[in-house]
Amino acid sequence: MAISIKLFANFREGRGKIVQMDYTPGMTGQDVIDALGITAPEIAAIIVDGVDGKVDAMLTVPVKDGGYLAIFPPVAGG
Amino acid sequence: MFGYMGKILRINLTTGVIGTEDLDFELAKKYIGGRGLGTKMYMDEVDPQIDPFAAENKIIFINGPLTGTATPTGGRYMVVTKSPLTGCIASSNSGGEWGAYLKYAGYDAIIIEGKASLPVYINIEEEKVEILPALDIWGKYTSETSAALKEKHPDSKVLTIGPSGEKLSQMAAIMNENDRAAGRSGVGAVMGSKNLKAITVKGAQKPVIANPDGLKAVTKECRGMLKENGVTGGGLPTYGTAVLVNIINEHGVYPTNNFQGGHDPGAEAVSGETLTEEYLIKRNPCHHCPIGCGRWVKSEHSPEGVGGPEYETLWVFAGDLGINDMNIVIDANYWCNEFGLDTISAGATLAAAMELYQRGYITDEMLDDDVILKFGNAESVIHWLKKMGKREGFGDLLARGSYRLADFFGVPEYSMSVKKQDLPAYDPRGIQGMGLQYATSNRGGCHVRGYLISPEILGLPEKLDRFELAGKPVWAKIFQDLTALIDSTGLCLFTSFALGAQQYADMLNEVLGTEWTADDILLAGERIWNLEKLFNLEAGISPEEDTLPPRFLEEEMPEGPTKGWVHKLDELLPLYYQERGWDEDGIPTDERLEKLGL
């Protein structure tokens, strides 16, 4: 199975909107961003399978087979 | 006197008398300027129970001490009056160039009183101030008005209302530079009630700065911080505020179909990324703004393009109506600007009408078998927006805003508003702190009276658990007080993504020659917040109105990452009142008011 990584704003540059990645048991968000060449300090918000939280903590959460991540750089407005 | 120009212009439209008065410097320092000083000046002169459309009501245009200085984003002005939409104090803020030029004309504020017998506009060229007939521009769209007045007064900056302000729509905005708006709370209708179409300003004066070298240094420091910050130096310049569409949607707090849902699978079509890739012509920055979040986008209305939609506008004319068409959003934004309508309230009123149609309150017969107001019906948006602007047929009812519309049918609960002002683009069920700020905002439903979206969703300056209640009243108060302060300085709230209270204190000190600390200016922000609360209480706004529409308190979010949640206002509100030093009924205590010098 695969997992989907939704990328936003400048994270899409050179990577696209959605990246599909093979699932391996025990993989975490940290494994995902390492593969994408994104570092934790670049991330302002992250969602793993519909759950958000502090970036450092969410990067240690195991990803579900067939699940998804959404990763955001610093963005704001209003 | 440093920073301020030291002069207030007072214009009585009934008598035609024009005069100037000295600014009370001590009063100015206590309430800073803009939102704070404007509210104090207004309260000193107007009975809070006044009918907003009475000739005796007044409307104040006022700058902050940093407006027109070299400070980054220092170009904003505030419109202060009593809101015809909410009955609360209305402080509507706008960027663009007009505020800075009012300062260059030599004035800190204009107080407008009375009512002209025929349509007029005011032309200000430093000492030359004149009330001129506006019959030839009355009824014109805002861009037509601006073009006509710029021809008569070259090099002037134009602030104007559109047909919606003239027709006293409670959602009418005041526009400047065509696409910048003092948008909320119906301030444009107060101008219209006075038969005042526009104000043109120009001048070449500059404020005297207490410490020019110090200001240069702190401005350089702040500009550097804004450039280095990921939001103000990256996300906002590149994508504009529209960049929020995807992140808010992915968290399941992107309201759909009048807040009946919280996630839209088609939102990418109206996202900041799509706007940038397919529609952006250029950035459109306000005065002295290094951020430049404003957009200039492709449109069928002009080969040169038009002002682009902000995030709230994208959401309200897309997800909230069940439609995802960027061209419709750009068009709706264009027409709101031309009619002089608040995009949030205009779109939210269409959304409420669509839910009333969905539930059988609005029928085809009531619409005279005209275009159906139904979620997903793209054809209906511009059609009914124009009728709202012109107050034609059923559009007359729409022009009163969602609360009065839903209340007309006996079901005000279908208006997603607080104190009759429509909520912006964040569902409070999944953002507990933001919901508390909605409920306690002094001008009703609003996202710029404290923006807890920043820590609860965006992870800035740190990530908070958006469902957690603990600590949220403290965060809410700090954010509310800080925004009250920033709104009083003449700077843009977006600077707060990069700057802190110390930087605002530093800029004020170099301009004014004061020696304020960060705590001093936060206390000023708290003073301003409490002053507004006192106005609302005297105006008859009960603390019982510190609430949210029942949908958020009783109906669980049906879908997405926020599924199953309601807002827990009953738990948060007592803690918030306690944090504010107010009594359990939400009334400021004598002790707290004394501490604040009120």
Side-chain angles (χ1 to χ4, degrees):
Chain A
M1 286 286 283
I3 60 168
S4 302
I5 301 101
K6 301 181 186 179
L7 299 169
F8 300 95
N10 62 300
F11 282 167
R12 290 182 175 179
E13 291 170 12
R15 302 184 183 96
K17 291 180 187 174
I18 298 180
V19 175
Q20 302 289 334
M21 199 174 283
D22 288 339
Y23 171 79
T24 55
M27 74 188 300
T28 64
Q30 186 65 51
D31 299 323
V32 170
I33 66 168
D34 287 347
L36 291 170
I38 295 171
T39 63
E42 295 177 90
I43 301 171
I46 182 168
I47 300 170
V48 180
D49 295 320
V51 178
D52 60 295
K54 290 182 186 294
V55 173
D56 288 349
M58 295 307 294
L59 289 175
T60 67
V61 173
V63 183
K64 290 178 187 167
D65 191 4
Y68 80 96
L69 281 80
I71 306 175
F72 304 88
V75 294
Chain B
M1 183 178 294
F2 299 114
Y4 306 98
M5 302 308 286
K7 273 199 298 186
I8 296 168
L9 188 58
R10 184 182 294 274
I11 300 173
N12 189 308
L13 295 176
T14 304
T15 62
V17 172
I18 299 168
T20 58
E21 299 163 13
D22 291 338
L23 178 73
D24 181 336
F25 190 44
E26 290 308 310
L27 193 74
K29 284 199 295 184
K30 184 172 179 181
Y31 296 96
I32 311 297
R35 182 173 151 193
L37 183 59
T39 300
K40 174 61 178 166
M41 287 163 53
Y42 182 80
M43 285 180 72
D44 284 348
E45 298 195 15
V46 182
D47 178 355
Q49 297 208 3
I50 198 165
D51 173 357
F53 292 151
E56 293 75 20
N57 189 22
K58 302 184 185 186
I59 184 167
I60 299 176
F61 300 83
I62 183 165
N63 281 324
L66 302 186
T67 309
T69 68
T71 53
T73 78
R76 303 190 72 89
Y77 71 94
M78 190 69 75
V79 184
V80 179
T81 189
K82 181 174 178 177
S83 165
L85 181 71
T86 66
C88 301
I89 190 76
S91 291
S92 285
N93 189 274
S94 183
E97 302 283 344
W98 191 89
Y101 276 71
L102 174 64
K103 198 154 199 176
Y104 302 154
Y107 304 101
D108 296 304
I110 311 171
I111 302 172
I112 306 288
E113 49 193 32
K115 177 182 179 178
S117 56
L118 289 170
V120 296
Y121 74 98
I122 295 167
N123 178 49
I124 301 169
E125 298 174 17
E126 302 195 12
E127 283 75 25
K128 177 184 166 188
V129 181
E130 49 194 351
I131 303 170
L132 298 169
L135 280 168
D136 57 334
I137 49 175
W138 197 255
K140 300 283 189 192
Y141 291 127
T142 58
S143 65
E144 295 170 331
T145 304
S146 293
L149 292 179
K150 284 181 83 69
E151 201 171 316
K152 287 183 184 174
H153 307 286
D155 304 323
S156 288
K157 300 297 175 185
V158 180
L159 166 158
T160 184
I161 57 171
S164 291
E166 297 170 12
K167 294 176 185 293
L168 309 186
S169 168
Q170 285 90 343
M171 302 181 290
I174 294 172
M175 308 298 300
N176 56 284
E177 284 76 70
N178 289 339
D179 69 328
R180 296 290 92 194
R184 305 225 68 191
S185 304
V187 291
V190 176
M191 261 183 84
S193 75
K194 298 186 174 304
N195 276 330
L196 177 59
K197 176 70 173 175
I199 306 175
T200 56
V201 290
K202 75 172 179 183
Q205 300 184 37
K206 290 287 167 69
V208 180
I209 305 299
N211 183 358
D213 290 340
L215 180 62
K216 193 179 285 185
V218 72
T219 294
K220 186 178 177 186
E221 178 197 354
C222 291
R223 280 185 172 266
M225 292 171 76
L226 289 163
K227 189 176 178 185
E228 291 301 314
N229 181 272
V231 170
T232 52
L236 278 172
T238 306
Y239 299 101
T241 59
V243 74
L244 286 178
V245 168
N246 279 325
I247 191 168
I248 302 299
N249 191 40
E250 288 295 328
H251 283 82
V253 288
Y254 181 79
T256 59
N257 296 2
N258 201 34
F259 287 81
Q260 293 183 81
H263 180 74
D264 187 337
E268 175 71 28
V270 293
S271 68
E273 290 87 338
T274 301
L275 188 73
T276 303
E277 288 165 15
E278 300 179 22
Y279 295 88
L280 183 68
I281 295 174
K282 62 179 180 180
R283 290 162 62 197
N284 186 27
C286 296
H287 187 81
H288 280 182
C289 178
I291 304 170
C293 70
R295 308 283 97 176
W296 199 255
V297 298
K298 297 173 188 170
S299 163
E300 63 180 20
H301 292 287
S302 167
E304 286 85 36
V306 298
E310 304 287 348
Y311 165 61
E312 313 292 335
T313 310
L314 283 154
W315 153 75
V316 82
F317 286 110
D320 209 31
L321 303 183
I323 302 161
N324 280 310
D325 186 325
M326 187 69 88
N327 288 309
I328 288 178
V329 175
I330 290 172
D331 213 16
N333 188 59
Y334 171 84
W335 283 113
C336 283
N337 288 349
E338 289 290 6
F339 279 106
L341 276 170
D342 170 22
T343 59
I344 296 176
S345 284
T349 302
L350 291 179
M354 288 177 177
E355 184 166 359
L356 292 170
Y357 183 86
Q358 171 193 325
R359 297 182 185 282
Y361 293 100
I362 294 177
T363 63
D364 292 343
E365 292 72 34
M366 287 177 198
L367 302 177
D368 292 328
D369 292 320
D370 204 337
V371 176
I372 294 172
L373 269 166
K374 186 178 179 182
F375 289 117
N377 184 8
E379 184 191 1
S380 67
V381 180
I382 304 303
H383 180 85
W384 284 106
L385 194 57
K386 287 182 179 176
K387 292 211 166 192
M388 182 192 291
K390 295 173 184 171
R391 302 197 78 148
E392 278 181 6
F394 194 75
D396 180 59
L397 194 51
L398 295 174
R400 302 173 200 183
S402 75
Y403 183 88
R404 288 171 175 83
L405 171 71
D407 191 49
F408 176 84
F409 292 100
V411 284
E413 62 269 27
Y414 293 123
S415 165
M416 297 302 119
S417 60
V418 170
K419 300 181 179 76
K420 302 184 181 67
Q421 180 158 284
D422 303 277
L423 294 176
Y426 318 89
D427 194 304
R429 287 171 285 195
I431 328 163
Q432 296 290 322
M434 192 68 217
L436 175 63
Q437 291 190 316
Y438 281 163
T440 57
S441 160
N442 284 331
R443 73 166 181 179
C446 179
H447 61 294
V448 290
R449 290 295 184 269
Y451 192 65
L452 279 182
I453 298 300
S454 193
E456 292 189 293
I457 298 287
L458 310 177
L460 306 167
E462 61 179 279
K463 174 71 175 173
L464 298 180
D465 184 334
R466 61 195 175 100
F467 300 113
E468 178 64 56
L469 305 186
K472 294 295 171 62
V474 178
W475 278 88
K477 176 181 177 298
I478 292 170
F479 270 53
Q480 288 175 337
D481 293 347
L482 182 61
T483 54
L485 178 276
I486 299 169
D487 275 343
S488 302
T489 63
L491 299 184
C492 176
L493 290 175
F494 286 176
T495 55
S496 65
F497 291 121
L499 309 181
Q502 187 60 54
Q503 282 74 43
Y504 296 113
D506 291 344
M507 284 188 274
L508 287 166
N509 289 337
E510 303 300 352
V511 168
L512 298 175
T514 47
E515 294 181 349
W516 289 329
T517 64
D519 286 344
D520 291 335
I521 62 166
L522 281 173
L523 192 69
E526 183 178 358
R527 180 181 303 126
I528 293 160
W529 189 271
N530 277 265
L531 184 73
E532 292 175 331
K533 181 71 177 180
L534 292 178
F535 177 91
N536 287 351
L537 289 169
E538 291 173 27
I541 306 297
S542 161
E544 288 174 5
E545 293 188 55
D546 287 352
T547 190
L548 294 169
R551 167 160 294 157
F552 306 121
L553 306 175
E554 298 164 5
E555 296 176 24
E556 293 181 359
M557 173 65 83
E559 61 188 5
T562 301
K563 184 175 180 178
W565 280 88
V566 296
H567 193 272
K568 299 181 178 177
L569 184 64
D570 57 341
E571 294 180 51
L572 284 168
L573 200 54
L575 298 172
Y576 170 83
Y577 288 157
Q578 199 173 29
E579 182 63 26
R580 279 241 165 259
W582 297 352
D583 70 18
E584 59 188 17
D585 295 321
I587 311 290
T589 60
D590 291 342
E591 293 79 6
R592 183 59 64 122
L593 293 179
E594 190 175 342
K595 180 189 166 197
L596 295 170
L598 292 170

